[in-house]
Amino acid sequence: MTFFFYLAAAIAIAATLLVITGRNPVHALLNLVVSLLAVAGMFFMLGAPFAGALEIIVYAGAIMVLFVFVVMMLNLGTATTDQERRWLTPKTWFAPAVLAGLLLAGLLDVLLGGPLHAAGLAEIDARQVGVHLFGPYLLAVELGSMLLLAALVAAYHLGRHD
Amino acid sequence: MMLTDIQFAAMSPLLLVSATIVVVMLAIACKRHHQGNATLSVIGLNLALIACGAMIYVAQPAMTVTPLLVVDGYALFYMALILVATLATATLSHAYLEGFKGEKEEMYLLLCLSALGGLTLACAQHFASLFIGLELLSIPLYAMIAYPVKSRRPLEGGLKYLVLSAVASAFLLFGIALIYSQVGSLSFADVGGYFAAGGSRIGMLGGALLLIGLGFKLSLVPFHLWTPDVYEGAPAPVASYLATASKTAVFAVLMRYFVEAGGYYQASLVQVLSWLAFASIVVGNLLAVRQNNVKRMLAYSSIAHFGYCMVALIAGGPLAVEAVGAYLLTYVVTSLGAFGVVTLSSSPMGERDADVIYDYRGLFWRRPYLASILTAMLLSLAGIPLTAGFIGKFYVITTGVDAHLWWLLGAVVVGSAIGLYYYLRLMISLFLLDPSKHRFSAPLDWAQRTGGIMTLLAMLLMLALGIFPQPFIHLLQVSTLIPAG
């Protein structure tokens, strides 16, 4: 289990390096998804399955899909299909696929009964997260909503075309 | 989590500003009206300021509101200072944005949101509220700096601030994570206890990364490269907000971190910080000399001023909190006046701001009162006796002498001497006779407008601080911090 934690950490770093060295935004995003999956794996190992699931659903799922859509939409043109074919060469999907495969292997190893680590024994579930968010961190949630409003107003003002 | 009535009352400035944000947003959604929306925001901010003032007046005891925030005399003083700076920015923006072609009203919404972040920082006693407050302070600023979206320079400034600020936030978060890995708690009191007990190398590394993040926001010297470009690109009122409210809020939380979260126990970091202060004073002043652009000059001078302020923080001891408060109070009042004159000369907004020294040539012969206000403010920035700036410098030097920081004090003295040179250079050009035609000249009725009244008030407050500082010193003494442990 300790091994998988370090494996996931190494994969996260490798994938993130590929993100920042990638020249093509879509390829970079693909690597970013792998990096987020690896971080989610680390959350699972630390006994926080709720945080891990959120990481996958919200970051690797919703936000990344949005990113990919926007990037793809910006690239729309006559040569899109052609471009798509050129993008799907093994060179582009090989690195993310290998990293994701390693993650899967590590995860299977743990699921099939690897040794346990003390950090993963105490489980933090959705209920405990909720109790904390609406207990001592109540004001952080409220201020978080203001933060989102600020980002929304800023994006509206800067992104307006008239 | 149930909050009691007393806790709600203690939080009233934060709640009032939040309510203002919602009301202004709804008002904009119903009908866009520049004057009306600006008035609404100013009323809300004034109510929050009155609430702060009332609580300072009745000497409200320290009140912890959830583990995140504490409302004590210190927080109330800085909240009031941030609100004053925000109000001044709002009135200046009103004068300035009259000439703006696009949508003017979002500025007030963004300003109130940013002020809410500042208020959170003033009350923060937990790393979670520190981080959220810092982000809430910065995110509206990206849009405020780039407010005239169609112009190149503001957009460039906004983008620079966005990217570098994100990097600084990453450093800050990594530092907080390292400290958390050692302490197991995010509250300042626990972290203070940990560092008082000796700390560890990883905790120290976390503290260093935290200081990098905050040093960026304060534009201390190795992290200052963004400052002149952003100040130059930003609309003049936003530059005044960046120089005053934003920096004051960050310094308030830095001071609280040092006193309550054991920053003073990390002796080697205090040592590094004193090098940063030294470099800020020397580099800030030397580069300011070479500027022909008033906004860039004020940017470099703000780097130097935060170097002076840092000297008071490094000195520590019983007087440090009071000295930092005095310095920030005098600096905020003075900078608001100086940026106020720059804004009024540039209003209503045109192709560019009146920011080259040449634009101010002979201002005295065209707008004598406005030029007099700028002269007084520049004298105060230089720290001439009978102005507010002198009181601030006096405090800094007193704490420095108490702590035997001789080489830093030497830098303060040399820096002030260099400062006098470039402030006087601008001042002289105000009085030079210049026969040629001028593009920039404040409108004749500037004094009747709210922006004009604001700069006049800032000058009167500045002189009051300089001539009769006793009431303000009393205010600073009730708003001090008690060190933990």
Side-chain angles (χ1 to χ4, degrees), chain A residues 135 137 143 147 156-157 160, chain B residues 1 103 106 120 126 136 147:
Chain A
Y137 290 93
L143 286 169
L147 193 61
Y156 164 76
H157 181 76
R160 234 180 92 84
Chain B
M1 185 97 198
E103 294 175 336
E106 275 84 354
T120 312
H126 194 279
L136 191 52
Y147 202 80

Side-chain angles (χ1 to χ4, degrees), chain B residues 52 56 72-84 118-119 121-123 245 247-249 251-253 255-256 309 320-329 476 479 481:
Chain B
C52 279
I56 293 173
D72 50 10
Y74 178 82
L76 286 172
F77 171 73
Y78 281 100
M79 284 204 277
L81 199 55
I82 292 162
L83 284 169
V84 167
L119 300 188
L121 281 181
C123 304
K247 285 193 172 183
T248 307
F251 212 99
V253 80
M255 189 78 220
R256 195 191 283 277
C309 200
V321 179
E322 193 182 327
V324 165
Y327 202 88
L328 288 177
L329 176 64
L476 288 164
S479 64
L481 277 178

Side-chain angles (χ1 to χ4, degrees), chain B residues 48-407:
Chain B
L49 184 59
I50 291 169
C52 279
M55 279 192 282
I56 293 173
Y57 184 72
V58 300
Q60 160 102 7
M63 173 66 65
T64 307
V65 189
T66 75
L68 297 186
L69 302 180
V70 61
V71 182
D72 50 10
Y74 178 82
L76 286 172
F77 171 73
Y78 281 100
M79 284 204 277
L81 199 55
I82 292 162
L83 284 169
V84 167
T86 313
L87 274 167
T89 312
T91 47
L92 289 176
S93 305
H94 181 257
Y96 184 81
L97 286 177
E98 276 298 329
F100 183 57
K101 302 279 190 305
E103 294 175 336
K104 309 176 181 100
E105 293 79 7
E106 275 84 354
M107 177 63 97
Y108 305 100
L109 193 51
L110 292 166
L111 191 63
C112 292
L113 280 163
S114 183
L116 182 64
L119 300 188
T120 312
L121 281 181
C123 304
Q125 57 158 353
H126 194 279
F127 282 120
S129 45
L130 184 155
F131 181 68
I132 293 184
L134 208 57
E135 288 300 297
L136 191 52
L137 181 75
S138 314
I139 286 185
L141 270 173
Y142 308 149
M144 281 159 73
I145 294 168
Y147 202 80
V149 193
K150 299 281 182 283
S151 327
R152 196 180 64 83
R153 287 233 298 249
L155 209 52
E156 183 191 321
L159 196 65
K160 274 185 186 159
Y161 192 67
L162 167 74
V163 173
L164 292 175
S165 182
V167 174
S169 293
F171 273 105
L172 186 86
L173 270 184
F174 196 34
I176 292 174
L178 286 180
I179 290 177
Y180 181 72
S181 76
Q182 298 300 301
V183 186
S185 164
L186 287 172
S187 90
F188 280 7
D190 295 339
V191 175
Y194 170 77
F195 280 121
S200 68
R201 202 166 283 179
I202 294 179
M204 182 82 83
L205 184 61
L209 292 173
L210 191 84
L211 285 185
I212 291 177
L214 294 179
F216 166 82
K217 300 279 176 186
L218 293 174
S219 57
L220 294 177
V221 148
F223 319 114
H224 70 289
L225 292 169
W226 59 278
T227 318
D229 289 352
V230 171
Y231 279 41
E232 189 191 354
V238 178
S240 84
Y241 184 84
L242 263 176
T244 55
S246 154
K247 285 193 172 183
T248 307
V250 177
F251 212 99
V253 80
L254 180 69
M255 189 78 220
R256 195 191 283 277
Y257 165 76
F258 262 80
V259 173
E260 289 186 354
Y264 281 123
Y265 290 109
Q266 307 172 47
S268 51
L269 286 188
V270 176
Q271 186 68 36
V272 172
L273 213 53
S274 59
W275 296 338
L276 296 192
F278 184 82
S280 301
I281 295 171
V282 173
V283 174
N285 277 315
L286 283 180
L287 291 179
V289 171
R290 301 175 50 82
Q291 302 305 320
N292 279 322
N293 184 311
V294 177
K295 274 155 100 187
R296 284 182 89 87
M297 189 196 90
L298 287 173
Y300 280 116
S301 108
S302 96
I303 294 173
H305 278 284
F306 275 83
Y308 302 146
C309 200
M310 202 50 99
V311 173
L313 187 147
I314 291 161
L319 203 59
V321 179
E322 193 182 327
V324 165
Y327 202 88
L328 288 177
L329 176 64
T330 57
Y331 170 78
V332 164
V333 171
T334 310
S335 292
L336 284 177
F339 275 106
V341 174
V342 174
T343 313
L344 289 179
S345 308
S346 320
S347 318
M349 186 191 171
E351 294 158 27
R352 67 177 182 91
D353 287 355
D355 54 6
V356 188
I357 289 188
Y358 187 74
D359 294 331
Y360 292 85
R361 214 175 149 99
L363 185 72
F364 180 75
W365 308 105
R366 287 172 280 143
R367 302 286 176 266
Y369 293 105
L370 204 56
S372 310
I373 293 173
L374 186 56
T375 308
M377 291 309 176
L378 289 173
L379 286 175
S380 174
L381 281 174
I384 303 294
L386 283 187
T387 62
F390 175 71
I391 304 292
K393 282 239 172 70
F394 187 80
Y395 257 110
V396 164
I397 290 177
T398 312
T399 49
V401 168
D402 277 351
H404 308 289
L405 298 170
W406 303 120
W407 55 286

